[in-house]
Structure formats: C-alpha cells, structure tokens
Short mmCIF file of all heavy atoms in Angstrom, two decimals:
data_model
loop_
_atom_site.label_atom_id
_atom_site.label_comp_id
_atom_site.label_asym_id
_atom_site.label_seq_id
_atom_site.Cartn_x
_atom_site.Cartn_y
_atom_site.Cartn_z
N VAL A 663 0.83 -1.20 0.00
CA VAL A 663 0.00 0.00 0.00
C VAL A 663 0.87 1.25 0.00
O VAL A 663 0.60 2.21 -0.73
CB VAL A 663 -0.95 0.00 1.22
CG1 VAL A 663 -1.71 1.31 1.32
CG2 VAL A 663 -1.92 -1.17 1.12
N VAL A 664 1.92 1.24 0.80
CA VAL A 664 2.83 2.39 0.88
C VAL A 664 3.49 2.64 -0.48
O VAL A 664 3.62 3.77 -0.92
CB VAL A 664 3.89 2.17 1.99
CG1 VAL A 664 4.97 3.21 1.91
CG2 VAL A 664 3.23 2.20 3.35
N GLU A 665 3.90 1.57 -1.15
CA GLU A 665 4.54 1.73 -2.47
C GLU A 665 3.56 2.28 -3.50
O GLU A 665 3.95 3.04 -4.39
CB GLU A 665 5.14 0.40 -2.95
CG GLU A 665 6.36 -0.01 -2.16
CD GLU A 665 7.45 1.04 -2.14
OE1 GLU A 665 7.76 1.62 -3.20
OE2 GLU A 665 7.99 1.31 -1.06
N LYS A 666 2.28 1.93 -3.39
CA LYS A 666 1.28 2.47 -4.31
C LYS A 666 1.07 3.97 -4.11
O LYS A 666 0.69 4.67 -5.04
CB LYS A 666 -0.04 1.74 -4.16
CG LYS A 666 -0.03 0.35 -4.77
CD LYS A 666 -1.37 -0.31 -4.63
CE LYS A 666 -1.32 -1.73 -5.17
NZ LYS A 666 -2.60 -2.41 -5.00
N LEU A 667 1.32 4.45 -2.89
CA LEU A 667 1.19 5.88 -2.63
C LEU A 667 2.17 6.69 -3.45
O LEU A 667 1.90 7.84 -3.81
CB LEU A 667 1.44 6.19 -1.15
CG LEU A 667 0.47 5.66 -0.12
CD1 LEU A 667 0.95 6.02 1.27
CD2 LEU A 667 -0.91 6.21 -0.35
N PHE A 668 3.33 6.09 -3.76
CA PHE A 668 4.40 6.84 -4.41
C PHE A 668 4.55 6.51 -5.89
O PHE A 668 5.60 6.77 -6.47
CB PHE A 668 5.72 6.61 -3.68
CG PHE A 668 5.76 7.29 -2.34
CD1 PHE A 668 5.57 6.59 -1.18
CD2 PHE A 668 5.96 8.66 -2.26
CE1 PHE A 668 5.59 7.21 0.05
CE2 PHE A 668 5.98 9.30 -1.05
CZ PHE A 668 5.80 8.59 0.11
N VAL A 669 3.51 5.97 -6.51
CA VAL A 669 3.57 5.73 -7.96
C VAL A 669 3.62 7.09 -8.66
O VAL A 669 2.77 7.95 -8.44
CB VAL A 669 2.34 4.92 -8.44
CG1 VAL A 669 2.29 4.86 -9.95
CG2 VAL A 669 2.38 3.54 -7.85
N GLY A 670 4.64 7.31 -9.47
CA GLY A 670 4.79 8.59 -10.16
C GLY A 670 5.42 9.68 -9.31
O GLY A 670 5.30 10.85 -9.62
N ALA A 671 6.09 9.30 -8.22
CA ALA A 671 6.70 10.30 -7.33
C ALA A 671 7.95 10.88 -7.95
O ALA A 671 8.55 10.30 -8.85
CB ALA A 671 7.04 9.66 -5.99
N ASN A 672 8.36 12.04 -7.48
CA ASN A 672 9.57 12.76 -7.88
C ASN A 672 9.59 13.12 -9.36
O ASN A 672 10.64 13.26 -9.96
CB ASN A 672 10.83 11.94 -7.54
CG ASN A 672 11.00 11.79 -6.05
OD1 ASN A 672 10.46 12.57 -5.27
ND2 ASN A 672 11.72 10.78 -5.64
N LYS A 673 8.41 13.26 -9.96
CA LYS A 673 8.34 13.69 -11.36
C LYS A 673 7.83 15.11 -11.41
O LYS A 673 6.95 15.50 -10.65
CB LYS A 673 7.41 12.79 -12.16
CG LYS A 673 7.95 11.41 -12.39
CD LYS A 673 7.01 10.63 -13.26
CE LYS A 673 7.52 9.23 -13.50
NZ LYS A 673 6.56 8.41 -14.22
N CYS A 674 8.36 15.87 -12.35
CA CYS A 674 7.89 17.22 -12.57
C CYS A 674 6.63 17.14 -13.42
O CYS A 674 6.60 16.42 -14.42
CB CYS A 674 8.97 18.04 -13.27
SG CYS A 674 8.90 19.76 -12.86
N PHE A 675 5.56 17.81 -13.04
CA PHE A 675 4.30 17.71 -13.78
C PHE A 675 4.40 18.45 -15.11
O PHE A 675 4.87 19.57 -15.19
CB PHE A 675 3.16 18.30 -12.95
CG PHE A 675 1.87 18.32 -13.70
CD1 PHE A 675 1.18 17.14 -13.91
CD2 PHE A 675 1.38 19.49 -14.22
CE1 PHE A 675 0.00 17.15 -14.62
CE2 PHE A 675 0.20 19.51 -14.92
CZ PHE A 675 -0.50 18.33 -15.12
N LYS A 676 3.94 17.77 -16.16
CA LYS A 676 3.84 18.37 -17.48
C LYS A 676 2.43 18.18 -17.99
O LYS A 676 1.92 17.05 -18.02
CB LYS A 676 4.83 17.71 -18.45
CG LYS A 676 6.27 17.99 -18.13
CD LYS A 676 7.18 17.32 -19.11
CE LYS A 676 8.62 17.49 -18.69
NZ LYS A 676 9.53 16.67 -19.47
N LEU A 677 1.79 19.25 -18.39
CA LEU A 677 0.43 19.20 -18.89
C LEU A 677 0.42 18.55 -20.27
O LEU A 677 1.22 18.90 -21.13
CB LEU A 677 -0.15 20.61 -18.97
CG LEU A 677 -1.63 20.73 -19.30
CD1 LEU A 677 -2.45 20.07 -18.19
CD2 LEU A 677 -2.02 22.18 -19.41
N ARG A 678 -0.47 17.56 -20.46
CA ARG A 678 -0.59 16.90 -21.77
C ARG A 678 -1.35 17.83 -22.71
O ARG A 678 -2.42 18.33 -22.36
CB ARG A 678 -1.36 15.59 -21.64
CG ARG A 678 -0.56 14.50 -20.99
CD ARG A 678 -1.31 13.19 -20.99
NE ARG A 678 -1.55 12.75 -22.35
CZ ARG A 678 -2.69 12.25 -22.79
NH1 ARG A 678 -3.71 12.14 -21.98
NH2 ARG A 678 -2.83 11.86 -24.03
N PRO A 679 -0.84 18.04 -23.92
CA PRO A 679 -1.55 18.90 -24.87
C PRO A 679 -2.72 18.16 -25.50
O PRO A 679 -2.64 17.64 -26.62
CB PRO A 679 -0.46 19.24 -25.90
CG PRO A 679 0.47 18.08 -25.85
CD PRO A 679 0.44 17.58 -24.45
N GLY A 680 -3.84 18.07 -24.77
CA GLY A 680 -4.99 17.28 -25.19
C GLY A 680 -5.57 17.69 -26.52
O GLY A 680 -5.88 16.85 -27.38
N ALA A 681 -5.73 19.00 -26.74
CA ALA A 681 -6.31 19.48 -28.00
C ALA A 681 -5.42 19.12 -29.19
O ALA A 681 -5.89 18.72 -30.25
CB ALA A 681 -6.53 20.99 -27.93
N LYS A 682 -4.13 19.25 -28.99
CA LYS A 682 -3.17 18.94 -30.06
C LYS A 682 -3.21 17.44 -30.40
O LYS A 682 -3.18 17.06 -31.57
CB LYS A 682 -1.77 19.33 -29.60
CG LYS A 682 -0.74 19.43 -30.69
CD LYS A 682 0.60 19.80 -30.07
CE LYS A 682 1.22 20.93 -30.85
NZ LYS A 682 2.54 21.27 -30.33
N LEU A 683 -3.30 16.59 -29.37
CA LEU A 683 -3.37 15.15 -29.59
C LEU A 683 -4.67 14.76 -30.30
O LEU A 683 -4.67 13.91 -31.19
CB LEU A 683 -3.25 14.40 -28.27
CG LEU A 683 -1.91 14.51 -27.55
CD1 LEU A 683 -1.99 13.89 -26.17
CD2 LEU A 683 -0.83 13.83 -28.36
N GLN A 684 -5.78 15.38 -29.92
CA GLN A 684 -7.06 15.09 -30.57
C GLN A 684 -7.05 15.54 -32.03
O GLN A 684 -7.57 14.85 -32.89
CB GLN A 684 -8.21 15.78 -29.84
CG GLN A 684 -8.60 15.07 -28.57
CD GLN A 684 -9.77 15.74 -27.90
OE1 GLN A 684 -9.97 16.95 -28.02
NE2 GLN A 684 -10.55 14.96 -27.17
N LYS A 685 -6.46 16.69 -32.30
CA LYS A 685 -6.38 17.19 -33.68
C LYS A 685 -5.57 16.22 -34.53
O LYS A 685 -5.97 15.90 -35.66
CB LYS A 685 -5.72 18.58 -33.69
CG LYS A 685 -5.63 19.18 -35.06
CD LYS A 685 -4.95 20.53 -35.02
CE LYS A 685 -4.80 21.05 -36.44
NZ LYS A 685 -3.98 22.23 -36.49
N ALA A 686 -4.45 15.74 -34.00
CA ALA A 686 -3.63 14.79 -34.74
C ALA A 686 -4.39 13.50 -35.02
O ALA A 686 -4.29 12.93 -36.11
CB ALA A 686 -2.35 14.50 -33.97
N GLU A 687 -5.18 13.04 -34.04
CA GLU A 687 -5.99 11.82 -34.21
C GLU A 687 -7.04 12.01 -35.30
O GLU A 687 -7.27 11.13 -36.12
CB GLU A 687 -6.64 11.45 -32.89
CG GLU A 687 -7.55 10.26 -32.93
CD GLU A 687 -6.86 8.95 -33.26
OE1 GLU A 687 -5.66 8.80 -32.98
OE2 GLU A 687 -7.53 8.07 -33.82
N LEU A 688 -7.68 13.18 -35.30
CA LEU A 688 -8.71 13.45 -36.32
C LEU A 688 -8.13 13.60 -37.72
O LEU A 688 -8.77 13.22 -38.70
CB LEU A 688 -9.49 14.71 -35.95
CG LEU A 688 -10.48 14.58 -34.81
CD1 LEU A 688 -11.04 15.94 -34.44
CD2 LEU A 688 -11.61 13.64 -35.19
N GLU A 689 -6.94 14.17 -37.82
CA GLU A 689 -6.36 14.47 -39.13
C GLU A 689 -5.51 13.34 -39.72
O GLU A 689 -5.04 13.46 -40.84
CB GLU A 689 -5.52 15.75 -39.04
CG GLU A 689 -6.37 16.98 -38.82
CD GLU A 689 -5.55 18.24 -38.68
OE1 GLU A 689 -4.31 18.14 -38.50
OE2 GLU A 689 -6.15 19.32 -38.73
N LYS A 690 -5.34 12.25 -38.98
CA LYS A 690 -4.47 11.19 -39.49
C LYS A 690 -5.13 10.49 -40.69
O LYS A 690 -6.36 10.43 -40.80
CB LYS A 690 -4.10 10.20 -38.39
CG LYS A 690 -5.15 9.19 -38.05
CD LYS A 690 -4.60 8.21 -37.04
CE LYS A 690 -5.62 7.10 -36.81
NZ LYS A 690 -5.15 6.16 -35.83
N LYS A 691 -4.32 9.96 -41.57
CA LYS A 691 -4.80 9.26 -42.76
C LYS A 691 -5.45 7.94 -42.35
O LYS A 691 -4.95 7.25 -41.48
CB LYS A 691 -3.63 8.97 -43.71
CG LYS A 691 -2.87 10.21 -44.13
CD LYS A 691 -3.49 10.77 -45.38
CE LYS A 691 -2.59 11.90 -45.89
NZ LYS A 691 -3.30 12.96 -46.47
N ARG A 692 -6.56 7.59 -43.03
CA ARG A 692 -7.26 6.35 -42.75
C ARG A 692 -7.41 5.54 -44.04
O ARG A 692 -7.56 6.10 -45.12
CB ARG A 692 -8.63 6.62 -42.16
CG ARG A 692 -8.58 7.41 -40.87
CD ARG A 692 -9.95 7.44 -40.21
NE ARG A 692 -10.05 8.41 -39.14
CZ ARG A 692 -9.54 8.26 -37.94
NH1 ARG A 692 -8.88 7.19 -37.64
NH2 ARG A 692 -9.69 9.18 -37.02
N THR A 693 -7.41 4.24 -43.87
CA THR A 693 -7.61 3.36 -45.03
C THR A 693 -9.11 3.25 -45.31
O THR A 693 -9.95 3.62 -44.49
CB THR A 693 -7.04 1.96 -44.76
OG1 THR A 693 -7.77 1.38 -43.67
CG2 THR A 693 -5.55 2.02 -44.43
N ARG A 694 -9.44 2.70 -46.49
CA ARG A 694 -10.85 2.53 -46.88
C ARG A 694 -11.57 1.63 -45.88
O ARG A 694 -12.72 1.90 -45.51
CB ARG A 694 -10.95 1.96 -48.29
CG ARG A 694 -12.41 1.75 -48.72
CD ARG A 694 -12.55 1.36 -50.16
NE ARG A 694 -12.33 2.42 -51.12
CZ ARG A 694 -13.12 3.49 -51.30
NH1 ARG A 694 -14.14 3.70 -50.52
NH2 ARG A 694 -12.85 4.36 -52.24
N GLU A 695 -10.91 0.57 -45.40
CA GLU A 695 -11.53 -0.35 -44.44
C GLU A 695 -11.86 0.36 -43.13
O GLU A 695 -12.92 0.12 -42.53
CB GLU A 695 -10.60 -1.55 -44.15
CG GLU A 695 -10.38 -2.48 -45.32
CD GLU A 695 -9.31 -2.00 -46.27
OE1 GLU A 695 -8.38 -1.28 -45.83
OE2 GLU A 695 -9.41 -2.32 -47.47
N GLU A 696 -10.96 1.24 -42.68
CA GLU A 696 -11.21 1.98 -41.45
C GLU A 696 -12.42 2.91 -41.61
O GLU A 696 -13.25 3.03 -40.70
CB GLU A 696 -9.97 2.79 -41.05
CG GLU A 696 -8.84 1.95 -40.52
CD GLU A 696 -7.59 2.76 -40.25
OE1 GLU A 696 -7.28 3.70 -41.01
OE2 GLU A 696 -6.89 2.41 -39.27
N TRP A 697 -12.51 3.58 -42.77
CA TRP A 697 -13.64 4.47 -43.02
C TRP A 697 -14.95 3.68 -43.06
O TRP A 697 -15.97 4.11 -42.52
CB TRP A 697 -13.46 5.24 -44.33
CG TRP A 697 -12.64 6.48 -44.17
CD1 TRP A 697 -11.43 6.71 -44.71
CD2 TRP A 697 -12.97 7.64 -43.41
NE1 TRP A 697 -10.96 7.95 -44.32
CE2 TRP A 697 -11.90 8.54 -43.53
CE3 TRP A 697 -14.06 8.01 -42.62
CZ2 TRP A 697 -11.88 9.78 -42.91
CZ3 TRP A 697 -14.04 9.26 -42.02
CH2 TRP A 697 -12.96 10.12 -42.16
N GLU A 698 -14.94 2.51 -43.72
CA GLU A 698 -16.16 1.70 -43.79
C GLU A 698 -16.58 1.21 -42.41
O GLU A 698 -17.77 1.19 -42.09
CB GLU A 698 -15.93 0.51 -44.73
CG GLU A 698 -15.85 0.93 -46.20
CD GLU A 698 -15.40 -0.19 -47.12
OE1 GLU A 698 -15.02 -1.27 -46.61
OE2 GLU A 698 -15.41 0.03 -48.34
#
C-alpha cells in the first residue's frame, strides 16, 4: 500500500496537450476499411 502511494513520485508535472493530440488523431490518414 505504501509503495502504491508513491507511484509517479519525484516527477515534474507536465500538462498533456490534449487538444493537439485530438487534432492529430482526427487528421491522421485512414484506409478505406477503417472508413467503412
């Protein structure tokens, strides 16, 4: 339990660029099978 408390400890927080990641997901190339 004590070890679970420190998962991700001593890391500097960095904000994930959510909008940028979503834009990349929407704009990526898709095959015909994926579109169907």
